[in-house]
Amino acid sequence: DDDDDDDDDDDGDCKYQKRAAGGGSHHSKKRHKMRKNNDEYSHQTFLEVEAEWKRFEEKMKSDSFKISSINSIPLPTQPETTHPTKFGYFGDVWKMVRKMCSKGEKRKARRLLITLYLRYHPDKMGPRIAKLVPEEDTNNILGELQIKAKAITQALTALKSELASLAAAP
């Protein structure tokens, strides 16, 4: 496999670039290859997941929208390590938080983490999603969602702890 693989969809545009908020910048073929070998949201950036989430929220407003699988829900992938500050989505969140803190915007950084924590918290997310899942799929989808949401909130808690340790450092 060389890095010249064709990662474009039928209309010739990069399908990953389309997902980025506001069109975003085009990223390397190596990154595309990484995505092709993992599940759809594995290595998405914060902005890409946010754009997907906004589209998902719009779809949720429709009375006819139903969730057919856990993959229909744009969730960031849990970190593969115990250091979420070094992984895709969570690494991006961490960089944003650190940048806000360096600009003296610690409240804004904390608010971002709290907002994400509440969005993905299993007790908050489960009921919102449950009403969109066909009855025959409820146990499977909500069971998987519970596991994934818990991992996401644990990663966000780790980021919040990192932020607290930065604030406590002299």
Side-chain angles (χ1 to χ4, degrees):
D1 286 5
D2 62 5
D3 285 343
D4 294 340
D5 289 348
D6 182 15
D7 293 312
D8 296 341
D9 58 10
D10 294 337
D11 62 4
D13 291 326
C14 167
K15 61 186 169 187
Y16 300 106
Q17 183 181 10
K18 286 180 181 177
R19 284 198 195 129
S25 63
H26 188 77
H27 30 264
S28 73
K29 294 226 183 233
K30 184 177 181 182
R31 185 160 177 181
H32 289 274
K33 187 175 278 195
M34 195 166 52
R35 288 206 184 150
K36 286 173 77 174
N37 295 329
N38 292 298
D39 72 13
E40 187 175 358
Y41 298 110
S42 295
H43 297 282
Q44 283 188 305
T45 67
F46 173 75
L47 291 178
E48 290 170 329
V49 175
E50 284 299 292
E52 287 290 325
W53 184 261
K54 286 184 187 335
R55 283 190 287 279
F56 179 74
E57 283 185 322
E58 284 302 312
K59 289 178 187 175
M60 286 174 55
K61 293 175 184 176
S62 166
D63 291 337
S64 62
F65 179 67
K66 293 292 179 201
I67 295 172
S68 58
S69 80
I70 190 73
N71 295 328
S72 303
I73 307 167
L75 302 170
T77 301
Q78 66 191 51
E80 296 167 351
T81 70
T82 57
H83 302 287
T85 58
K86 299 178 181 175
F87 181 82
Y89 173 89
F90 297 98
D92 284 355
V93 171
W94 180 242
K95 287 175 197 167
M96 290 172 55
V97 164
R98 293 215 38 187
K99 188 174 184 178
M100 289 175 196
C101 289
S102 71
K103 292 179 173 181
E105 300 173 334
K106 288 182 182 173
R107 284 186 116 153
K108 188 175 177 183
R110 188 170 184 275
R111 186 81 220 137
L112 172 65
L113 290 175
I114 290 169
T115 299
L116 294 173
Y117 186 84
L118 291 174
R119 174 190 296 167
Y120 295 116
H121 193 281
D123 293 340
K124 304 277 186 213
M125 187 173 237
R128 284 182 70 195
I129 300 299
K131 60 186 175 191
L132 302 170
V133 177
E135 195 172 319
E136 64 272 10
D137 297 327
T138 301
N139 288 339
N140 290 337
I141 292 175
L142 293 183
E144 274 189 77
L145 179 63
Q146 182 80 13
I147 293 165
K148 289 182 181 224
K150 184 177 178 185
I152 292 166
T153 54
Q154 286 173 341
L156 290 168
T157 299
L159 292 181
K160 190 173 176 234
S161 296
E162 288 282 332
L163 178 61
S165 69
L166 280 180

